[in-house]
Structure formats: structure tokens, C-alpha cells
Amino acid sequence: MAFRKDFLWGGATAANQCEGGYNEGGRGLANVDLAPVGPDRFPVITGEKKMFAFDEEHFYPAQNAIDMYHRYKEDIALFGEMGFKTYRLSIAWSRIFPLGDETEPNEEGLKFYEDLFKECRKYNIEPLVTITHFDCPMHLVEKYGAWRSREMVGFYENLCNVIFNRYKGLVKYWLTFNEINMILHAPFMGAGLYFEEGENKEQVKYQAAHHELLASAIATKIAHEVDPENQVGCMLAAGTNYAYTCKPEDVWAARKADRENFFFIDVQSRGEYPAYALKELEREGIELPIEEGDLELLKEHTVDFISFSYYSSRVQSTDPAINEKTAGNIFASVKNPYLEASEWGWQIDPLGLRTTMNDLYDRYQKPLFIVENGLGAVDTPDENGNVIDDYRIEYLAAHIQAMKDAVELDGVDLLGYTTWGCIDLVSAGTGEMKKRYGFIYVDRDNEGNGTLKRSKKKSFDWYKKVIATNGEDL
Ligand code: P53
């Protein structure tokens, strides 16, 4: 038997990509609400184009998403039917603190998640909760410049105090920041960052990073104080970088690209800023806004486990002639000639998952949790309305086999596996509904048309069997 007896099989979503109900229950506006579908999305999520309010020209898919705000009971029942042991979801910060800087939370928002967690418990589903999955109340963006400001640490601390106390006994697994390294690649979506004319963007990003890392350590501290049962994880957008050739410069470029991402996890897991980063930041003239007591907090409150998303490996080359890039816009890298790609140009590399797991386990020696993995594809219902998604089954089976190898053959300690978008939802990168990951089909298109009806795809019964056999029958 490869996997632990209590292995946490399940699926993952994020509030802004599935809930909708953006102006209901007292919820405040968040950065993620303002990312439209279409060509303006990329400039918005990277902070190049400022968007402070909705306009008539764009469609904003997060406003209603797949309406899980009203349909979560039906959806969780389907997860229960598949035999989920865990369900990863995120809390919308602006449901709990609509502006972000209030002292008292919004009871309606707190009650919503309490009911949702209780619904999970009905099916023996352990909630795995991301405290912030790309969302930040817009008021905090406008008044404080979001994570560039140190005051954010206190607002986040309030949020954590409230939710850890309120959900004590209901939730035990927490992730502090989704894909914390996304600050570097999509700073508005990742950390609510906008830039001023002529400002040093790298300075702002690393300043925000220090504040998030501090907030993450404080969250870990409070979580452990409130309930020693709490398990807190960091979350990395992972995917090992390969050198395009064995030319030493290529190998060095791949090492550097990995470290750019490891930087965050090095702090969250080992409790210290790594030497390579301190030197590099110094050379670049970037200052971390470290205050008295910060380094002690980082050192004393490291995470219990390492979680990550994995969609693909990446490639680095120093040869200007090797310039064919993958389509994945946020993490675009050199195209790997040995790999096939998804319809969105994301290259498919199951063995890369085993490599990534080994890299992370060797480096941190803490239990791992794969909290995102999956295939974004166009699903076309047949004449009977059924989606026969053999391509998705093939992708997932190959990745589960690779993770099994990492556990069985390499001895990696793995807590669980949650596939991304277990029910079809809005794409973070593109805002499309057409890019689907789910076992459950949702009748909705890119323009917001459709009945929102849920139906099972072929992969639904397949995943149910995988869970029932603890990963033996793929
Ligand atoms: P989509 C790339 C771009 C945006 C978010 O991505 C990403 C990545 C890949 O690492 O990260 C995660 O929806 C993210 C999810 C997101 C998922 O990847 O662009 O945590 O919110 O939906 C898949 O296909």
C-alpha cells in the first residue's frame, strides 16, 4: 500500500472562482472581483492596468462565478458521493471583514462558512482552508496600497484570530497564502499591488513579501495557540525548472529560477531568509523592511507541512536562439521539446511531479500536501449531455502514478492530494469558464450564459474508484 491509511483525497476550489454572490451577505469588494475576462485580464492581474470599479465594457466572471454561494449543499453532496476525505476551499476575506480594517467581523460571512464546514462534516469531509487565495479587500488596496503596507499584517492577524477561534473544532488544516510566490508574477492578483510611476517594482514586491511572510508566521503562531491540533501549511506554485542543456550556464539559470520561488518557502519552513536571496537583494538595492522582533517571529513559527500546486515543469535556457516559449502566460518558460501540451499550452509532465516532490522533500523534510493538480480542457457534452473526459482521466492517472512512485519508491511523506477545480469554475489566469478542470460539469459559458446545472462527467466515477481503492486502481 503506497498511501497512508488516512490519506486525504479530495478536490480544491477558491472563493472568488466559484462562490459568486459578490455583493451578498454584507460582502465587500475585493481585488479579484475586478479582473475581467478577455484581453484586459492579464494587464489587470499583473497590476499594469488599474481597475478600481466595474465598468460597462467588461464582463467580470467572479461576480456570480458558478454561484456556489447558493449551491454549496448540492456541490458538497456530490463531493461526498465521490468519497472525498477533504475539500480545499478558501475564505473570502471581504465576507468576514468587508473593508478589511474593521475591528468587528461580519456575522453573516462567518455564519456562511460555519454552515459550509458543518455541511462538509456531514460527509466526513475534512475542510482544508486557504486563508487568502488571491483576494484582498479593495478598501485595503485603495487606502493602504495592500501588502506594500505593514498595517496589513495587523488586519490579517485580526482575520486569523477571528476565524481560528470561530472554527475551532471544525477546521484543523490551514494554508496561509495561496501560491505565495505569485507576488512576483501577478502582483495585483497575488497581493493587491499597484505600482506608481517610476517606482522600483521589485522593491515593492519584496517589501510586500516580507509583510506576507510575517503575517504567515503570526498566523501559524495563533493557530497553534488557539488549538494545538491545528496544522498550518505554506503554499507554493511549484514545478521544478530544468536546464535546457547540460551547459553549465543553463544549469545555473535553472537553479536560479527555482530559488526565486523557494525563497518564500525557505522562510516559511526553515524560518530564515536564505543567504543567496540576501546577497541578491543587496546587489539589486532592495531593502526588506525588517523591524525588531520580525526575525524571531519568522524563526519561531515555521509551518507544519509544505503544500503546493503542480501543473507542469519549467525550462530555462541562456541561448537566445532557444526562444520558443510555452503559452502559459504567467509562468511562461522555454518550451520543452519532449513534452505534449494542453489546449492552453501547459506542458504535461507527470515525472516532473515526482521530481518536484523529491526536490521539496529533500529541501524541507516536512510532510508534503499536493493541493492543486489537473488538466484545464474544453469539455463538449455529447448528444446525451455526457462529458466523456478520457483525456482528464489519463492526465490524472499519470500524475497519481508519479506521486505514488515518490511515496513508494522514494519515501516521500505525503498527506494528501486535492485536484484543482473538482467542479468546473472560473479560470484564474484567463477568467474563462471554457477552461474546465472538474469531475462535475457546470452549464455556464465565458459570457455568463447557462443554467448553472451540475452534471457528472465520466471522470466522476473514475475518481470515486481511485479514492475507494486508496489509489490502487487507476
Ligand atoms: P488557471 C497560473 C495562472 C494563474 C494561477 O490556473 C495559477 C497558475 C498556475 O500556477 O495558479 C493556480 O485557472 C491557482 C488557481 C488557478 C489554477 O492555478 O489559470 O492557485 O487559482 O485556478 C489553474 O487555469
Side-chain angles (χ1 to χ4, degrees):
M1 175 80 74
F3 300 112
R4 298 162 166 249
K5 269 211 190 67
D6 57 355
F7 192 79
L8 291 166
W9 293 98
T13 63
N16 76 87
Q17 294 173 253
C18 65
E19 280 180 9
Y22 79 104
N23 57 0
E24 292 180 60
R27 183 182 178 284
L29 196 66
N31 59 340
V32 280
D33 299 335
L34 294 165
V37 69
D40 278 336
R41 187 178 185 87
F42 191 67
V44 169
I45 66 179
T46 53
E48 295 304 321
K49 187 181 165 87
K50 293 192 172 68
M51 193 79 95
F52 289 110
F54 299 123
D55 63 24
E56 297 291 311
E57 288 154 55
H58 295 95
F59 176 67
Y60 300 91
Q63 288 185 338
N64 301 302
I66 58 159
D67 194 36
M68 215 177 185
Y69 185 65
H70 298 108
R71 295 166 197 249
Y72 71 87
K73 288 193 178 159
E74 179 189 350
D75 296 339
I76 292 171
L78 287 166
F79 300 158
E81 194 184 327
M82 265 186 283
F84 277 23
K85 311 286 182 209
T86 188
Y87 167 41
R88 174 179 178 232
L89 69 143
S90 80
I91 283 189
W93 188 342
S94 64
R95 281 199 194 285
I96 314 291
F97 287 99
L99 296 175
D101 58 1
E102 302 94 331
T103 45
E104 292 306 312
N106 170 34
E107 173 56 30
E108 221 177 322
L110 281 172
K111 179 80 169 57
F112 170 70
Y113 292 109
E114 184 182 331
D115 292 346
L116 194 154
F117 298 145
K118 285 184 175 156
E119 200 64 24
C120 290
R121 295 259 165 229
K122 267 195 205 165
Y123 302 92
N124 288 321
I125 295 174
E126 181 79 49
L128 163 60
V129 177
T130 317
I131 300 168
T132 43
H133 191 122
F134 297 154
D135 63 327
C136 178
M138 265 319 275
H139 173 75
L140 298 182
V141 173
E142 292 184 47
K143 186 159 177 201
Y144 305 91
W147 284 98
R148 70 165 63 218
S149 160
R150 175 127 186 154
E151 279 157 295
M152 290 295 284
V153 179
F155 303 141
Y156 186 87
E157 185 175 342
N158 285 348
L159 173 70
C160 289
N161 255 314
V162 166
I163 60 178
F164 293 158
N165 283 295
R166 176 67 172 246
Y167 304 130
K168 184 175 171 176
L170 272 178
V171 179
K172 147 172 139 186
Y173 290 97
W174 302 93
L175 305 178
T176 53
F177 289 92
N178 181 61
E179 294 188 338
I180 190 162
N181 50 324
M182 201 58 96
I183 292 181
L184 304 177
H185 310 279
F188 181 66
M189 183 168 76
L193 298 177
Y194 278 132
F195 305 100
E196 305 301 331
E197 271 301 293
E199 145 175 89
N200 180 346
K201 290 185 187 172
E202 296 308 303
Q203 171 64 39
V204 176
K205 289 182 196 174
Y206 279 95
Q207 187 173 317
H210 178 67
H211 295 145
E212 286 200 357
L213 291 167
L214 202 57
S216 178
I218 292 171
T220 309
K221 173 174 184 277
I222 304 171
H224 291 152
E225 283 166 3
V226 170
D227 188 350
E229 289 282 296
N230 275 332
Q231 296 281 307
V232 183
C234 51
M235 202 296 199
L236 173 75
T240 290
N241 282 277
Y242 301 154
Y244 190 79
T245 70
C246 54
K247 191 177 168 199
E249 283 78 5
D250 283 0
V251 175
W252 184 245
R255 169 78 59 99
K256 276 185 69 175
D258 273 341
R259 281 176 159 181
E260 197 180 282
N261 297 313
F262 286 151
F263 165 78
F264 298 87
I265 310 305
D266 284 356
V267 180
Q268 289 174 296
S269 182
R270 298 157 157 178
E272 277 172 28
Y273 279 108
Y276 64 85
L278 293 174
K279 287 288 187 191
E280 169 96 23
L281 293 173
E282 193 185 319
R283 276 195 301 278
E284 303 288 322
I286 295 168
E287 265 181 73
L288 294 170
I290 298 172
E291 294 184 9
E292 207 186 315
D294 287 3
L295 296 180
E296 290 72 17
L297 271 170
L298 295 177
K299 186 72 199 167
E300 279 164 31
H301 305 287
T302 54
V303 292
D304 302 307
F305 64 94
I306 313 290
S307 87
F308 63 97
S309 60
Y310 176 85
Y311 294 91
S312 187
S313 53
R314 299 165 192 146
V315 180
Q316 303 296 328
S317 165
T318 52
D319 180 350
I322 308 297
N323 53 15
E324 201 186 344
K325 291 270 163 65
T326 59
N329 52 10
I330 289 177
F331 274 113
S333 87
V334 171
K335 194 167 171 191
N336 187 327
Y338 302 100
L339 301 176
E340 302 281 312
S342 78
E343 287 155 299
W344 273 264
W346 292 24
Q347 294 201 283
I348 300 171
D349 182 10
L351 181 54
L353 174 58
R354 181 174 171 189
T355 305
T356 299
M357 290 173 73
N358 277 277
D359 282 351
L360 290 170
Y361 197 60
D362 286 352
R363 196 172 179 99
Y364 302 115
Q365 299 168 344
K366 288 188 184 178
L368 304 183
F369 204 141
I370 301 171
V371 297
E372 285 185 31
N373 173 238
L375 179 71
V378 178
D379 288 330
T380 313
D382 65 15
E383 63 277 11
N384 304 314
N386 297 323
V387 173
I388 311 298
D389 53 347
D390 290 310
Y391 38 91
R392 181 166 294 109
I393 293 172
E394 194 189 324
Y395 177 103
L396 293 172
H399 284 77
I400 294 171
Q401 182 58 51
M403 90 184 181
K404 196 190 266 185
D405 290 345
V407 170
E408 211 164 32
L409 305 178
D410 309 327
V412 170
D413 185 9
L414 184 66
L415 297 174
Y417 175 76
T418 59
T419 65
W420 176 249
C422 45
I423 179 166
D424 291 347
L425 39 61
V426 175
S427 158
T430 71
E432 294 165 293
M433 265 310 297
K434 199 175 162 197
K435 191 179 187 190
R436 297 171 184 276
Y437 288 86
F439 303 116
I440 301 164
Y441 186 85
V442 177
D443 178 22
R444 188 166 174 88
D445 68 15
N446 286 354
E447 289 78 41
N449 308 305
T451 61
L452 289 165
K453 184 175 169 292
R454 277 68 168 143
S455 51
K456 300 173 193 172
K457 302 181 195 174
K458 184 177 176 185
S459 55
F460 185 100
D461 287 322
W462 172 81
Y463 196 47
K464 184 175 174 179
K465 175 194 71 180
V466 171
I467 297 175
T469 61
N470 201 18
E472 287 304 308
D473 190 354
L474 298 177

